[in-house]
Amino acid sequence: MTDPSDEAKQIEKLYEFGERLNEAKDKSQNVKDYEGIIEAAKTSLKAKQLAAQLIPRFFKFFPDLSSRAVDAHLDLIEEEELGVRVQAIRGLPLFCKDTPEYLSKIVDILVQLLAAEEIVERDAVHKALMSLLRQDVKASLTALFKHIGSVDEPSTDEFIREKVLSFIRDKVFPLKAELLKPQEEMERHITDLIKKVLQSLEDVTGAEFRMFMDFLKSLSLFGEKAPTERMKELIGIIEGQADLDAQFNVSDADHIDRLISCLYMALPFFLRGASGSKFLNYLNKHIIPVFDKLPEERKLDLLKALAEISPYTTPQDSRQILPSVAVLLKKYMPLRKTGGEEMNFTYVECLLYTFHHLAHKAPNATNSLCGYKIVTGQPSDRLGEDFSDCYKDFTERLTTVEDLTRATMKKLTQGLADHNKEMAAAKTDEAKEKIKTQKQNTTTGLRTCNNILAMSKPLHSKTPSFIGDKSVNLSWKEATKPSVPSTTTASGGKRPASINGSGNTASKKGRGSGGLQNQLVNRALEGISRGGRGGIRGRGRGWGARGRGRGYR
């Protein structure tokens, strides 16, 4: 233990060094004073605390002593005494104030200190990093992102990587308006840093990818007034994460999760004019042909995503994918009521919705698929060929679907009345809440049935009116104010009104939104159709954070 009188002398000496340096016009001449401060960092506790303030304050005047000064300061950061460590951490940004060449190294030191257990110490680290970001945001961000990892510089310390990600998420992103200046230059810089991280599939989990994409979407660079090229840039990032150039393996559950989640993430950009061609081509070529082999909990996710993207497909993409969708639709529409048929109501709702929106943009493609007689004057009309068997098969399936749906609606309506009686008789809040949930699920089931009838009815015509507007609101989407439906249809006729009478917006809910509710609605529909599965299966597992790697499950 240091003698109090010795400690007092050390402190007094440090004050003298500091005063002389403060008063000196040419501080670089006071080498002995600065050396004295460095040496004091090895003495008593209070002297160390004072030295932790003085070493960085005068650092820039003594470049020849820089290595000794930094080493002495780092020793203070490793002191057992918390007060010394905190004071030393607070002084770190001063090393870079007039000597920016040290910034990257100081960021590296602070990054390692993000693992500090003491709250006051961790808080000092956060404040020091924020100080550096305000000094030089470009260099500081570059140094920070180096610790997240990229193709060029893989991250080696998982624990530190997580701490850096948390700091960026909690401290940097919320202050983007303050920190990212000049705005356009710095938003571009941080976008490029994020893109480098995301280019390494092994370095991001699903949660991390969503975090980065949410941040990018919040930037003015990609705001409402951003050109289509910027939307294409974001779609390109999402396509890269979805790994659309890879050969698909139906047993690769991680890739399936990633693909579906990325498709949902891309939806807002399709709404803003970006092309979904690459996604659609991949689905058409690799996924739909093996649909039956997909994990059961992923099938509905895929069909929902396909339904939500269908209004924004191009005519060319619509024509390309429509045959696969038609085959899938027929598969899930029973041919006739035999007493043992099964019908997955939500599958049928998704596929009918997708079919309508694709056919609206490529109407004559349905002539050969469903036996229709739509005339566009193009050779692809194929009006000279006989597809009457296709028409008979398709309309018989539609009739069976409608019969099953009406029977199900009758039972659901009765169930709703029963729920109302049960609610009136319920005694406890718990019982009332349970019945309320059952009512909501039954109502969603009725919306599904209403949608099926609304979409199947126009398809009986030889020249049907395909729904290409927002007149049908998908059952899992939140209802919005009705929009005025367009009277323009693919074949020139008037479109029938939607049975559920609700409009739809282009806004997107989360991936497989309403998953738990869908599982409960499944019970409401299950068994109502003879042998029926009900077919609303929930959204499944979603992306989890099972550690590094792709981590999309």
Side-chain angles (χ1 to χ4, degrees):
M1 185 174 178
T2 306
D3 185 277
S5 62
D6 290 340
E7 184 175 63
K9 290 176 183 178
Q10 291 162 359
I11 295 296
E12 184 179 353
K13 202 71 176 170
L14 271 172
Y15 276 118
E16 288 178 9
F17 295 149
E19 286 174 7
R20 279 200 295 268
L21 281 167
N22 271 329
E23 293 169 359
K25 291 184 179 180
D26 183 1
K27 295 178 177 34
S28 63
Q29 300 301 312
N30 293 54
V31 176
K32 293 293 183 184
D33 290 331
Y34 194 62
E35 284 181 329
I37 293 172
I38 293 172
E39 290 302 316
K42 302 173 185 176
T43 57
S44 66
L45 180 63
K46 289 184 179 179
K48 288 176 180 178
Q49 286 182 294
L50 185 53
Q53 298 177 49
L54 297 175
I55 289 174
R57 184 184 301 173
F58 300 109
F59 176 76
K60 66 179 180 180
F61 301 109
F62 304 97
D64 292 342
L65 297 175
S66 60
S67 294
R68 284 179 59 191
V70 170
D71 288 345
H73 202 84
L74 293 181
D75 287 341
L76 294 176
I77 286 173
E78 295 176 357
E79 274 288 324
E80 289 186 13
E81 177 60 38
L82 177 62
V84 174
R85 296 202 307 271
V86 170
Q87 189 61 60
I89 290 167
R90 288 171 179 166
L92 283 173
L94 293 175
F95 282 99
C96 317
K97 195 167 185 181
D98 296 289
T99 48
E101 62 270 21
Y102 281 91
L103 189 141
S104 181
K105 182 176 181 179
I106 298 302
V107 169
D108 291 346
I109 294 167
L110 287 167
V111 160
Q112 299 303 316
L113 295 172
L114 284 170
E117 295 180 2
E118 297 287 346
I119 294 176
V120 65
E121 187 174 4
R122 202 161 57 242
D123 184 57
V125 174
H126 289 170
K127 288 179 178 177
L129 281 170
M130 292 306 297
S131 177
L132 290 176
L133 282 161
R134 291 184 173 96
Q135 283 181 36
D136 188 337
V137 64
K138 188 172 186 178
S140 297
L141 284 173
T142 302
L144 274 173
F145 270 81
K146 182 178 67 177
H147 293 275
I148 301 174
S150 67
V151 175
D152 299 328
E153 296 184 78
S155 174
T156 55
D157 190 324
E158 178 62 22
F159 183 69
I160 292 299
R161 179 181 181 277
E162 295 297 328
K163 293 294 182 183
V164 174
L165 277 168
S166 296
F167 175 77
I168 289 173
R169 180 194 64 217
D170 300 335
K171 303 295 183 180
V172 179
F173 284 176
L175 293 178
K176 64 179 185 293
E178 174 192 343
L179 295 175
L180 299 182
K181 293 178 180 179
Q183 187 181 56
E184 185 172 351
E185 177 189 344
M186 292 316 305
E187 285 191 354
R188 171 48 60 191
H189 180 65
I190 197 170
T191 297
D192 291 341
L193 290 174
I194 289 172
K195 286 169 70 174
K196 282 185 179 180
V197 170
L198 298 181
Q199 282 170 1
S200 177
L201 287 176
E202 299 301 326
D203 267 336
V204 293
T205 65
E208 291 164 4
F209 184 62
R210 282 195 300 271
M211 175 191 79
F212 283 127
M213 288 307 301
D214 286 344
F215 175 72
L216 290 177
K217 286 190 296 184
S218 74
L219 298 177
S220 298
L221 196 67
F222 302 104
E224 291 183 4
K225 296 180 180 179
T228 304
E229 288 71 25
R230 300 265 175 84
M231 298 304 101
K232 290 179 181 177
E233 182 179 358
L234 292 182
I235 287 290
I237 295 172
I238 298 172
E239 288 173 347
Q241 191 66 197
D243 211 5
L244 298 182
D245 294 322
Q247 183 62 40
F248 181 71
N249 181 354
V250 74
S251 64
D252 187 352
D254 181 78
H255 191 189
I256 296 170
D257 286 350
R258 231 170 344 107
L259 179 67
I260 294 172
S261 293
C262 287
L263 185 54
Y264 268 97
M265 265 189 251
L267 269 171
F269 310 116
F270 299 148
L271 270 62
R272 295 175 60 183
S275 171
S277 294
K278 196 167 182 179
F279 270 108
L280 287 168
N281 290 337
Y282 195 86
L283 291 174
N284 193 39
K285 182 178 179 181
H286 297 286
I287 311 299
I288 295 178
V290 296
F291 183 80
D292 286 344
K293 297 179 181 179
L294 294 178
E296 201 63 33
E297 66 272 20
R298 285 292 166 262
K299 290 180 180 178
L300 182 56
D301 283 344
L302 178 64
L303 291 182
K304 283 184 173 184
L306 194 56
E308 292 196 42
I309 193 179
S310 63
Y312 311 104
T313 56
T314 64
Q316 182 179 353
D317 289 337
S318 298
R319 186 175 295 277
Q320 185 176 3
I321 198 172
L322 190 54
S324 299
V325 170
V327 168
L328 211 53
L329 175 60
K330 291 175 186 177
K331 176 179 176 60
Y332 286 99
M333 293 198 304
L335 181 57
R336 57 182 62 86
K337 291 191 292 181
T338 62
E341 68 283 344
E342 295 182 351
M343 179 165 140
N344 190 311
F345 286 86
T346 316
Y347 282 18
V348 173
E349 178 193 11
C350 291
L351 287 164
L352 278 173
Y353 187 89
T354 303
F355 179 82
H356 267 283
H357 280 277
L358 297 178
H360 181 73
K361 282 164 280 196
N364 67 349
T366 62
N367 291 352
S368 60
L369 297 172
C370 308
Y372 292 138
K373 297 289 185 182
I374 294 172
V375 180
T376 66
Q378 300 297 318
S380 53
D381 290 348
R382 301 177 65 178
L383 296 177
E385 300 177 58
D386 183 11
F387 298 110
S388 56
D389 287 346
C390 293
Y391 178 75
K392 183 174 182 293
D393 176 84
F394 192 63
T395 52
E396 281 184 4
R397 291 179 188 276
L398 286 171
T399 299
T400 302
V401 164
E402 290 165 344
D403 290 345
L404 289 169
T405 302
R406 290 190 184 99
T408 299
M409 287 183 72
K410 185 176 180 180
K411 294 180 180 181
L412 286 174
T413 303
Q414 180 58 51
L416 203 57
D418 292 342
H419 293 327
N420 289 333
K421 292 177 183 176
E422 292 167 0
M423 181 66 82
K427 303 295 184 184
T428 66
D429 289 341
E430 184 180 355
K432 289 178 181 178
E433 192 61 34
K434 182 179 179 181
I435 296 165
K436 182 182 177 182
T437 300
Q438 291 172 340
K439 284 181 65 177
Q440 290 172 341
N441 298 332
T442 303
T443 301
T444 301
L446 284 168
R447 285 205 302 269
T448 298
C449 293
N450 271 331
N451 284 344
I452 290 172
L453 293 178
M455 292 185 286
S456 64
K457 183 178 179 181
L459 298 180
H460 286 278
S461 170
K462 280 278 189 179
T463 55
S465 301
F466 298 119
I467 298 170
D469 60 8
K470 301 174 183 178
S471 59
V472 172
N473 190 51
L474 290 163
S475 61
W476 63 89
K477 306 280 281 184
E478 288 185 3
T480 55
K481 293 180 181 180
S483 59
V484 180
S486 167
T487 56
T488 303
T489 65
S491 57
K494 287 195 173 182
R495 182 171 298 118
S498 166
I499 288 180
N500 71 351
S502 62
N504 183 21
T505 65
S507 63
K508 174 185 80 69
K509 296 295 288 179
R511 182 175 80 83
S513 103
L516 176 59
Q517 182 174 339
N518 280 333
Q519 293 172 19
L520 296 170
V521 171
N522 181 26
R523 296 173 195 156
L525 287 173
E526 201 162 51
I528 292 177
S529 165
R530 277 192 182 177
R533 295 176 182 169
I536 304 182
R537 302 195 180 278
R539 73 179 184 185
R541 294 163 293 177
W543 283 354
R546 298 193 307 173
R548 289 289 290 286
R550 297 184 179 179
Y552 282 80
R553 291 179 63 194

